[in-house]
Amino acid sequence: MRDNRTVTTSLDPDIAGRLKRTADGLVPAVVQQHDTGEVLMLGWMDDEALNRTLTTGRATYWSRSRQEYWIKGETSGHVQWVKEVRLDCDGDTLLVKVDQEGVACHTGDRTCFDADLLPAPRHA
Amino acid sequence: MRDNRTVTTSLDPDIAGRLKRTADGLVPAVVQQHDTGEVLMLGWMDDEALNRTLTTGRATYWSRSRQEYWIKGETSGHVQWVKEVRLDCDGDTLLVKVDQEGVACHTGDRTCFDADLLPAPRHA
């Protein structure tokens, strides 16, 4: 929860006004490889993480577990270069199209969805 | 918030045990067109919505605004036939690959991300 933090952000007020945030001030960001269409991961952004993503061109998230900003690849080298950022029809989800260097997942998999396929009926 | 509801679910306990839910018992579900890779929308599932999705093969969500289960396409005809459901490395996000009949967005757009491109630098 971020209630005790106050962060100054210079996110464009027009964009900030369109965002619908969770109770802890965050918006889920779906991250997609821009050319292959792979869904790489889901991250969370507050206004300032979105501002940094839009202005620096490097995908930046709010880490809910560490309670800090997290520039993807800063320690791993697995940088996400931002190609495009879109807001959905309800203003409550972001789609971030990136060029992923190396792998997206901390497990070493290319995407965070590679390992766990659930049993489901398949419609032909 | 779903605190006042009690829903009986027959979701596989092995799957239920791997899910990490938000405070209101939900998991975000990224919905992707299985063949083109388009990210169509983001929905929310509780255990029973996931159970229905896995067992009926029709994508079913928990509507946070209406506070009810929502079988995608039930009124619009824009059904999502489930091809594959994956859980991410942290157990806190689902990826649902579907075959979308018609359009995914209530605005009439193909995806919920078609309309609002945010200004961002583009890395070549």
Side-chain angles (χ1 to χ4, degrees):
Chain A
M1 298 294 155
R2 303 186 50 251
D3 313 74
N4 299 329
R5 288 193 329 126
T6 304
V7 171
T8 302
T9 182
S10 48
L11 179 66
D12 180 336
D14 284 348
I15 297 173
R18 297 207 293 284
L19 289 182
K20 288 190 198 138
R21 304 163 191 82
T22 60
D24 46 357
L26 301 173
V27 177
V30 179
V31 188
Q32 184 180 36
Q33 173 66 27
H34 74 104
D35 47 5
T36 64
E38 291 163 293
V39 175
L40 299 168
M41 52 173 272
L42 185 119
W44 294 84
M45 293 186 185
D46 65 358
D47 287 32
E48 178 57 13
L50 176 56
N51 180 52
R52 294 184 191 185
T53 297
L54 292 173
T55 55
T56 68
R58 286 185 58 173
T60 304
Y61 306 99
W62 175 255
S63 169
R64 295 180 301 171
S65 54
R66 298 194 305 272
Q67 293 283 298
E68 61 182 20
Y69 292 106
W70 161 47
I71 303 171
K72 176 72 179 171
E74 195 169 35
T75 54
S76 67
H78 297 152
V79 175
Q80 292 174 340
W81 299 105
V82 176
K83 294 286 188 176
E84 195 174 288
V85 182
R86 292 178 171 274
L87 186 60
D88 83 340
C89 55
D90 293 325
D92 62 10
T93 305
L94 293 157
L95 177 61
V96 183
K97 298 190 184 184
V98 302
D99 193 16
Q100 171 73 57
E101 288 196 14
V103 301
C105 190
H106 71 283
T107 64
D109 284 340
R110 170 68 179 172
T111 91
C112 291
F113 299 97
D114 287 359
D116 197 354
L117 175 64
L118 303 183
R122 281 168 178 263
H123 292 275
Chain B
M1 300 294 157
R2 304 186 47 250
D3 313 74
N4 299 328
R5 289 191 330 125
T6 304
V7 171
T8 302
T9 181
S10 48
L11 179 65
D12 180 336
D14 284 348
I15 297 172
R18 296 207 294 283
L19 289 182
K20 288 190 197 136
R21 306 162 190 81
T22 61
D24 46 356
L26 302 173
V27 175
V30 178
V31 188
Q32 183 179 35
Q33 172 67 26
H34 73 104
D35 47 3
T36 64
E38 292 162 292
V39 175
L40 299 168
M41 52 173 273
L42 185 121
W44 294 85
M45 294 186 184
D46 66 358
D47 287 32
E48 178 57 15
L50 176 57
N51 180 51
R52 294 183 191 186
T53 297
L54 291 173
T55 55
T56 67
R58 286 184 58 170
T60 304
Y61 306 98
W62 175 256
S63 170
R64 295 180 302 171
S65 55
R66 298 194 304 273
Q67 292 285 297
E68 61 183 21
Y69 291 105
W70 162 48
I71 302 171
K72 177 72 179 172
E74 195 169 36
T75 54
S76 67
H78 297 152
V79 175
Q80 292 173 341
W81 300 105
V82 176
K83 294 285 188 177
E84 195 174 287
V85 181
R86 291 177 172 274
L87 187 60
D88 82 342
C89 54
D90 293 325
D92 63 10
T93 305
L94 294 157
L95 177 62
V96 183
K97 297 190 183 185
V98 302
D99 193 16
Q100 171 72 58
E101 288 196 13
V103 301
C105 190
H106 70 283
T107 64
D109 284 339
R110 170 69 178 169
T111 92
C112 292
F113 299 97
D114 288 358
D116 196 354
L117 175 63
L118 303 183
R122 282 169 177 262
H123 292 274

